[in-house]
Amino acid sequence: MTEQHDWTQAGFETKAIHAGYDPDPMTGAVNPPIYASSTFKQDGVGGMRGGYEYSRSANPTRTALEGALAAVEGGEHGFAFASGLAAEDTLIRSVCRPGDHVVIPDDAYGGTYRLFDKVEKVWGLDHTPAALTDVEAVRAAIVPGRTTMIWVETPTNPMLNIADIEALAALAHEHDAILVVDNTFASPYLQQPLALGADVVVHSTTKYVGGHSDVVGGALVCRDAELAEKIAFHQNSIGGVAGPFDVFLTHRGLKTLAVRMERHCDNAEKIVEFLVNHPAVAEVIYPGLESHPGHEIAKKQMKRFGGIISFRVAAGEQAALDVCAKAQVFTLGESLGGVESLIEHPGRMTHASVAGTDLEVSADLIRLSVGIESVEDLISDLEQALA
Ligand SMILES: *Cc1c(COP(=O)(O)O)cnc(C)c1O
C-alpha cells in the first residue's frame, strides 16, 4: 500500500499514473482499492498496521491520491478534502489567527470571496481585495505585521486575468506572509506554482483534476514540513476529508489529466480562432491571445493557455442569452473542467450574486469551458448559436 518507488525524477504523466501507490502486495491490484472502512483492526492496543486507525485521520485510498497530488504539483505533502472550499477553510484556519489580514484577488472565485467575507471575517480575519495583475496594488494592500497570506488565482474566473506568481511570492516573503495559489483553472499540468515560489497550492479537484463532472473534491499541496504538520492537524481536527469513493473517482481522473489538458487546449485554440473572426463577437478573452494583457506572464508561467474562453457578444445581453439557449453540443451549466463542453452566462449565473459590486461582469459576456469532443462539432454548434 505504501509507496516503494521514488517517482521524483519521472515525467508529469508518469507521476500522475504511478505516484502515490504501488500495486497491492497481496493481490497485485494496479489501482488503489476503495477502502470502504471507517476503522482498522489493531494488532494489540496501539498496534496499527501501516498507520491506519480511523478513516477521518487517514484512509489508504485517500493516502494514494494525496501522494499522487503531491507528486504532480512538485510538492512533498498532499491533502484531499470533500470540496475545494473545505480545503480552503482548513488551510485558512491552519495558517491565520484572529487579527490577521489576507490579500485576496478582487475577482476571486465567488465561493472563496464568500468564505473570506461572510465566514472567516466573523472570526476576526480581515481581507482586502486587490487587482493581482498589478504587483504594486498588492503591495499597497498589505498591512505590515498583520498580513499573513496572499491568495492568488490565475487565470481568474471569468475574465482570465493573469497574476505573476513569481513576483507575488517574492512580495509575500518580503512580508513574512505565505503565497497561496488556487491552481484550479490551470491544473498542475499547465502551471506549477510551487516551483515559482508559492507556499501552498489549492485545488477544486471537482474541475480539471477530476475532469468528468462526476465528483466534488478539493486538495492542498505544500513542500514545507512544518506547514504540512499544521494542515494535517487541522484536516483531522475539522474533518472535511474526501471519502474513499470520491477519492477513487478523483484519482482515476488525475491519471488522464495530461492528455485531457492537451485536448482542452487544442480545442480552445481552434475555437478562439473561430470566435476572433466572427462578426457577432465583440471581444474574445483568452490568455493565449497576444492582445490579452496577461499574455507575456501567462507564456512565462503556463505550459499552454487552458480550456476556458470568455467572449462578448456584439449585440448585447439578450443576444448572449440567445446564444446560451441555442447551444446544443455545449451544455448550459455552471462548473468547468470536465470532458464535456459547457456554456454559461456569468452575469445571470455564476456571477449573479456580485451584480452591483466591483466584481460585476458585463451582461454581454459568455464563458465557455471547452471540453474534449470533436472540435468541428463544437465550432459548428457555436456557428449556429451565433447565427
Ligand atoms: C470551483 C472552484 C472552487 C471551489 O471548489 P468546490 O469544489 O466547488 O468547493 C475554488 N476555486 C476555484 C477557482 C473554483 O473554480
Side-chain angles (χ1 to χ4, degrees), residues 83-86 88 109 112 153 182 184-185 204-207 216-218 336:
S83 70
L85 285 172
E88 294 183 18
Y109 172 74
T112 300
E153 282 176 41
D182 179 337
T184 300
F185 265 50
S204 169
T205 54
T206 314
K207 316 295 169 47
V216 170
L336 58 111

Side-chain angles (χ1 to χ4, degrees), residues 86-356:
E88 294 183 18
D89 181 47
T90 303
L91 173 63
I92 294 162
R93 289 203 259 174
S94 301
V95 174
C96 303
R97 293 292 172 267
D100 287 354
H101 172 265
V102 180
V103 180
I104 63 169
D106 68 358
D107 55 352
Y109 172 74
T112 300
Y113 180 73
R114 182 177 58 199
L115 179 62
F116 278 111
D117 196 54
K118 297 283 191 283
V119 180
E120 312 295 357
K121 203 161 93 178
V122 174
W123 301 96
L125 181 65
D126 288 337
H127 62 271
T128 303
L132 298 199
T133 50
D134 177 359
V135 176
E136 290 317 306
V138 179
R139 189 188 300 279
I142 290 173
V143 182
R146 282 185 59 212
T147 301
T148 43
M149 193 185 255
I150 299 177
W151 191 281
V152 174
E153 282 176 41
T154 182
T156 63
N157 178 24
M159 297 309 286
L160 306 174
N161 286 320
I162 302 294
D164 186 333
I165 296 171
E166 212 166 6
L168 292 174
L171 178 62
H173 298 154
E174 258 176 55
H175 293 268
D176 289 325
I178 66 164
L179 193 84
V180 179
V181 175
D182 179 337
N183 205 24
T184 300
F185 265 50
S187 89
Y189 180 68
L190 297 180
Q191 183 167 272
Q192 298 266 291
L194 297 176
L196 295 164
D199 299 281
V200 190
V201 169
V202 175
H203 276 284
S204 169
T205 54
T206 314
K207 316 295 169 47
Y208 285 109
V209 171
H212 295 74
S213 304
D214 54 5
V215 61
V216 170
L220 299 175
V221 178
C222 69
R223 282 180 173 167
D224 183 66
E226 207 177 307
L227 179 58
E229 204 173 304
K230 286 185 199 166
I231 293 170
F233 174 81
H234 285 81
Q235 182 190 39
N236 185 44
S237 301
I238 297 169
V241 295
F245 292 88
D246 287 359
V247 156
F248 170 81
L249 287 171
T250 304
H251 201 161
R252 178 154 116 153
L254 177 63
K255 289 173 194 241
T256 56
L257 178 68
V259 286
R260 283 187 288 107
M261 289 314 296
E262 287 291 344
R263 179 62 73 86
H264 283 297
C265 294
D266 288 346
N267 285 359
E269 285 170 12
K270 289 179 187 136
I271 290 170
V272 164
E273 197 182 310
F274 164 78
L275 291 172
V276 162
N277 293 306
H278 199 290
V281 174
E283 188 189 0
V284 181
I285 300 155
Y286 186 68
L289 287 169
E290 272 171 36
S291 59
H292 188 288
H295 177 69
E296 287 306 320
I297 293 165
K299 210 161 80 179
K300 186 182 77 172
Q301 67 190 18
M302 296 176 77
K303 192 181 171 94
R304 295 182 72 183
F305 302 102
I308 310 294
I309 304 167
S310 292
F311 67 98
R312 293 175 45 233
V313 180
E317 179 173 24
Q318 190 53 50
L321 293 169
D322 291 346
V323 172
C324 292
K326 279 156 74 183
Q328 288 167 2
V329 182
F330 280 85
T331 301
L332 180 65
E334 300 188 357
S335 196
L336 58 111
V339 291
E340 68 291 304
S341 292
L342 298 174
I343 187 166
E344 70 124 352
H345 184 267
R348 296 275 187 103
M349 294 170 64
T350 48
H351 290 64
S353 66
V354 295

Side-chain angles (χ1 to χ4, degrees), residues 31-46:
N31 284 303
I34 300 172
Y35 284 89
S37 195
S38 58
T39 189
F40 298 85
K41 178 182 163 135
Q42 303 187 12
D43 297 325
V45 174

